[in-house]
Amino acid sequence: MPAAAQQREPILVPDISEHTIVLRQGFTGSDVLLFGAILPPDGVRSDTEYGVVIVLKGPTEPIRIREKQRLSWLGIWVNADSTEYRSVPSFYAMASSRPVLDMVDERTAAIYELGLDYLQLSPTGQINPEEQARFSTGLVDLRRRQNLYTQDEHGVRLTEDVLYRARLFIPSNVIAGEYVAETFAIADGRVITSATSVIAVRKEGFELTVEEESRDNAFFYGLFAVGLSVFMGWGAGRLFSLV
């Protein structure tokens, strides 16, 4: 793109209310305010009508998802087909000033992953397209029920096509890591500019110690967990037998 054309694009200035979230005992989740402004580069406000989409993603992780199948003659559910994914966002939240497909076409939405229908989940190996769609739909549905995947197509408040703000909820069951918030300014059916901010989600104190021990000394940690469970069960039994 010529330099003159680049200079005519607006400048997106984003910010976040919390740049660090600490996962402590009793943490019940956190509301994060994402806000900013769309500034004209020459300082003169234009008549362009903007749309804003904010996407917040957590660290990616490889996972395997299994499909349950009911054996009617036994009346039980068992594991059936499964598939693996190389890089699945552990958390995904999207908010926009109006429905995404009112601002861009499906191809653009897929390129920037603007919505749960356009997530690129990267399955491994050879898989039938129909099976892939079924597993992907199941994965997204599961994480929506866990409050790890959300979208709100009216979640961004845009004031005079300059100031914007949105609130996204980070639940207590997220994993530690770097969470990237990407804000897209949209006009005339295309993404004209974008900017990113980062939220560090981390553990401290006792929670961090437990996580490190479970990773670095998995065998002894497992023995301790089993022993603690047996002791707690025995203790509860003895307590109730005295009542």
Side-chain angles (χ1 to χ4, degrees):
M1 183 179 294
Q6 289 181 339
Q7 292 173 357
R8 289 196 297 268
E9 301 293 6
I11 301 170
L12 192 59
V13 183
D15 204 354
I16 302 177
S17 60
E18 294 183 70
H19 290 274
T20 302
I21 295 176
V22 179
L23 303 178
R24 296 188 179 92
Q25 182 69 26
F27 176 72
T28 58
S30 177
D31 268 318
V32 177
L33 177 65
L34 300 99
F35 59 95
I38 306 171
L39 305 177
D42 53 7
V44 179
R45 181 181 171 186
S46 69
D47 296 329
T48 303
E49 181 180 358
Y50 294 111
V52 173
V53 180
I54 300 174
V55 174
L56 177 61
K57 289 184 183 179
T60 60
E61 55 185 354
I63 68 167
R64 170 177 289 185
I65 185 169
R66 296 183 182 276
E67 190 174 48
K68 296 289 187 180
Q69 182 178 7
R70 188 173 186 273
L71 299 180
S72 57
W73 56 283
L74 287 177
I76 61 174
W77 292 84
V78 298
N79 291 329
D81 296 335
S82 67
T83 190
E84 295 183 355
Y85 292 88
R86 288 189 299 271
S87 56
V88 175
S90 59
F91 176 83
Y92 177 95
M94 187 278 288
S96 57
S97 56
R98 58 182 187 271
V100 169
L101 293 184
D102 289 351
M103 296 184 282
V104 296
D105 56 24
E106 290 190 344
R107 179 176 178 274
T108 303
I111 291 173
Y112 295 101
E113 296 184 291
L114 305 181
L116 293 174
D117 292 335
Y118 305 104
L119 277 178
Q120 309 299 318
L121 296 176
S122 305
T124 61
Q126 298 293 325
I127 185 171
N128 181 281
E130 292 182 1
E131 290 185 1
Q132 178 181 341
R134 188 174 76 251
F135 278 109
S136 297
T137 300
L139 173 58
V140 170
D141 179 67
L142 174 63
R143 297 216 157 172
R144 290 190 75 159
R145 287 186 276 117
Q146 296 171 334
N147 293 323
L148 292 173
Y149 283 7
T150 62
Q151 68 177 26
D152 183 355
E153 293 194 310
H154 298 281
V156 176
R157 182 177 177 181
L158 189 57
T159 303
E160 296 183 357
D161 288 319
V162 176
L163 302 177
Y164 69 86
R165 65 176 182 175
R167 287 190 178 275
L168 298 178
F169 181 71
I170 297 181
S172 59
N173 55 336
V174 295
I175 65 174
E178 186 177 89
Y179 288 63
V180 178
E182 190 162 11
T183 303
F184 303 91
I186 298 172
D188 301 324
R190 65 186 183 91
V191 174
I192 56 175
T193 187
S194 65
T196 60
S197 301
V198 175
I199 303 174
V201 178
R202 66 173 188 263
K203 295 182 179 180
E204 292 182 352
F206 177 73
E207 289 77 13
L208 178 60
T209 301
V210 171
E211 180 182 334
E212 289 176 343
E213 289 299 320
S214 67
R215 182 177 59 249
D216 300 336
N217 301 290
F219 177 75
F220 294 105
Y221 176 82
L223 287 180
F224 174 77
V226 171
L228 181 62
S229 299
V230 172
F231 174 77
M232 293 295 290
W234 175 83
R238 293 289 297 174
L239 178 63
F240 283 105
S241 67
L242 297 175
V243 177

